[in-house]
């Protein structure tokens, strides 16, 4: 078989481990030819291919990013994009595609699967919000980085008697905020799932600083918002492509907290640091398992599916079931974060 492989959307640590697994298993055990497409769906549209042999994947396991490159590009939203994908699949004699991506890339995958191309998807996103899988590649590394940051913020917060806001990624879901907030011992976690009341935050901080502590750490997901009808109004700032402007909500919260409490407050925006560098062993293992499962599924002819981690096992879920859904942080996890304030 000739199998095309691409990585789309934002990069995450662990993508190279998944690419390596697809190539090792695909070439070594199934005898397939694997070709890579550069820069996600853009490479498929442009027919921008790169051969993927065992020599291309040597020593890539611990390296972050993606050796294929990636882009935020959706063929179904581009003029003639779908036709160009179908043309490349035919011209390059591609029997099946494996695409590694988050919500946008997977949405494109389901459209292309509907158009008749055999596809198996692999979920990756540091946001961990792909529906249908307990975990996506990259999340564990991002939580590790964010937790380390919260640990480091602790010592400087305490020395200076400050309120420290640590902003983490998470547009629609606060998985990184909840996980790093619990693991790092933050006093408050603000997630998109649970709009906040600034008055409650201020009351909590005043009480805590009067009663037993001189510092506080608040982990803020970039998509966190004040609850409607509360005393803080905020309009989310969006960039050219609809992305959240990093630091927007945290800078605003800093002003509100300083004005209302008088406590010295600082903001740290972790940004793309959360997506960089060496993947954790957990992400390398997950990516390797997903890579092997994806190429095995392609070989069996089981397509139109996504590899998923479910109760510790790797499973396949129909792509059609995933499109348009977001896996939100459950209330129970947010409750644990709140209980440990
Ligand atoms: O979707 C993953 C993510 O890292 C989000 O958490 C973040 O909002 C966005 O990507 C940033 O995108 P970009 O790399 O395009 O700035």
């Amino acid at each position: 078989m000739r199998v095309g492989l691409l990585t789309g959307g934002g990069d995450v640590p662990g993508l190279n481990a998944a690419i390596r697994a697809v190539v090792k298993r695909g070439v070594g055990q199934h005898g397939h030819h694997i070709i890579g497409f550069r820069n996600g769906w853009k490479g498929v549209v442009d027919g921008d291919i790169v051969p993927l042999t065992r020599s291309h994947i040597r020593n890539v396991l611990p390296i972050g990013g993606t050796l294929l490159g990636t882009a935020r590009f959706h063929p179904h939203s581009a003029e003639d994009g779908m036709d160009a994908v179908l043309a490349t699949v035919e011209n390059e004699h591609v029997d099946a595609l494996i695409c590694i991506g988050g919500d946008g890339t997977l949405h494109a995958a389901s459209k292309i699967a509907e158009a008749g191309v055999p596809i198996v998807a692999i979920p990756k996103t540091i946001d961990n919000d792909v529906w249908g899988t307990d975990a996506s590649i990259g999340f564990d590394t991002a939580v590790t980085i964010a937790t380390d940051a919260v640990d480091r913020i602790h010592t400087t917060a305490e020395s200076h008697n400050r309120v420290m806001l640590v902003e983490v990624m998470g547009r629609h879901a606060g998985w990184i905020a909840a996980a790093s907030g619990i693991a790092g011992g933050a006093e408050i976690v603000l997630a998109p799932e649970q709009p906040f009341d600034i008055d409650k935050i201020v009351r909590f901080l005043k009480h805590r600083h009067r009663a037993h502590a001189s510092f506080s750490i608040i982990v803020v997901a970039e998509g966190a918002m004040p609850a409607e009808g509360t005393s803080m109004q905020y309009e989310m700032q969006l960039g050219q492509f609809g992305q959240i402007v990093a630091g927007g909500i945290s800078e605003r919260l800093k002003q509100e907290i300083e004005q209302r409490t008088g406590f010295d407050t600082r903001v740290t925006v972790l940004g793309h640091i959360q997506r960089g560098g060496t993947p954790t062993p957990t992400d390398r293992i997950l990516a390797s398992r997903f890579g092997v499962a994806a190429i095995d599924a392609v070989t069996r002819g089981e397509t139109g599916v996504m590899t998923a981690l479910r109760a510790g096992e790797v499973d396949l879920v129909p792509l059609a079931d995933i499109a348009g859904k977001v896996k939100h942080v459950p209330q129970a996890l947010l409750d644990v974060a709140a209980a440990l304030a």
Side-chain angles (χ1 to χ4, degrees):
M1 288 179 89
R2 218 167 129 78
V3 181
L5 179 61
L6 63 114
T7 52
D11 71 340
V12 301
L15 287 173
N16 287 327
I19 295 169
R20 171 181 175 269
V22 169
V23 174
K24 275 204 146 190
R25 178 77 155 180
V27 174
Q29 277 139 48
H30 296 306
H32 299 325
H33 289 283
I34 314 286
I35 58 167
F37 288 99
R38 283 200 188 88
N39 304 325
W41 290 114
K42 182 91 179 74
V44 186
V45 164
D46 295 343
D48 188 0
I49 65 167
V50 51
L52 278 176
T53 65
R54 281 164 165 271
S55 66
H56 293 97
I57 46 122
R58 202 155 287 143
N59 300 328
V60 300
L61 192 56
I63 299 172
T66 163
L67 66 90
L68 289 174
T70 186
R72 292 197 187 280
F73 177 88
H74 305 133
H76 55 278
S77 317
E79 207 184 325
D80 301 329
M82 294 296 280
D83 289 344
V85 167
L86 298 179
T88 299
V89 166
E90 197 180 321
N91 296 341
E92 294 299 333
H93 307 288
V94 170
D95 297 303
L97 284 172
I98 295 180
C99 76
I100 312 175
D103 50 0
T105 308
L106 298 178
H107 187 55
S110 72
K111 296 260 177 220
I112 290 158
E114 275 169 28
V117 178
I119 290 194
V120 174
I122 296 178
K124 68 83 222 172
T125 166
I126 64 163
D127 292 359
N128 199 35
D129 57 357
V130 172
W131 191 89
T133 180
D134 294 346
S136 292
I137 303 169
F139 174 61
D140 186 70
T141 306
V143 171
T144 303
I145 294 166
T147 302
D148 179 59
V150 176
D151 287 345
R152 287 170 190 276
I153 289 290
H154 249 106
T155 56
T156 175
E158 197 159 7
S159 304
H160 285 271
N161 308 308
R162 281 174 174 156
V163 175
M164 302 295 272
L165 294 155
V166 181
E167 184 178 300
V168 296
M169 281 184 171
R171 282 181 289 184
H172 310 297
W175 287 99
I176 301 176
S180 65
I182 292 169
E187 277 63 52
I188 298 175
V189 167
L190 301 180
E193 287 85 351
Q194 197 170 50
F196 59 84
D197 179 347
I198 187 71
D199 290 322
K200 273 194 191 156
I201 294 174
V202 165
R203 268 201 305 279
F204 170 85
L205 291 173
K206 282 185 175 165
H207 171 77
R208 173 177 153 86
H209 288 225
R210 202 170 41 236
H212 58 92
S214 61
F215 74 98
S216 292
I217 295 177
I218 306 178
V219 177
V220 187
E222 63 184 352
M225 287 288 287
E228 258 179 59
T230 54
S231 68
M232 173 178 153
Q233 269 75 50
Y234 178 73
E235 196 149 326
M236 192 179 276
Q237 299 164 38
L238 297 178
Q240 198 185 353
F241 303 107
Q243 76 279 24
I244 292 177
V245 174
I249 184 66
S250 302
E251 288 295 343
R252 181 61 201 286
L253 271 165
K254 169 187 150 67
Q255 290 166 10
E256 295 283 340
I257 290 170
E258 282 190 329
Q259 268 167 21
R260 294 171 188 238
T261 64
F263 299 150
D264 200 15
T265 304
R266 293 287 187 277
V267 172
T268 302
V269 179
L270 296 188
H272 291 80
I273 286 171
Q274 294 159 97
R275 297 221 310 250
T278 310
T280 58
T282 298
D283 270 330
R284 296 184 206 188
I285 295 164
L286 183 67
S288 301
R289 293 176 77 189
F290 280 170
V292 168
I295 193 72
D296 284 356
V298 160
T299 308
R300 288 195 306 274
E302 206 173 331
T303 58
V305 292
M306 179 188 82
T307 61
L309 188 72
R310 293 183 152 195
E313 300 295 328
V314 175
D315 220 340
L316 297 171
V317 295
L319 271 175
D321 289 359
I322 296 154
K325 294 185 190 161
V326 174
K327 186 184 71 176
H328 287 293
V329 179
Q331 187 59 44
L333 194 62
L334 294 170
D335 288 347
V336 170
L340 300 174

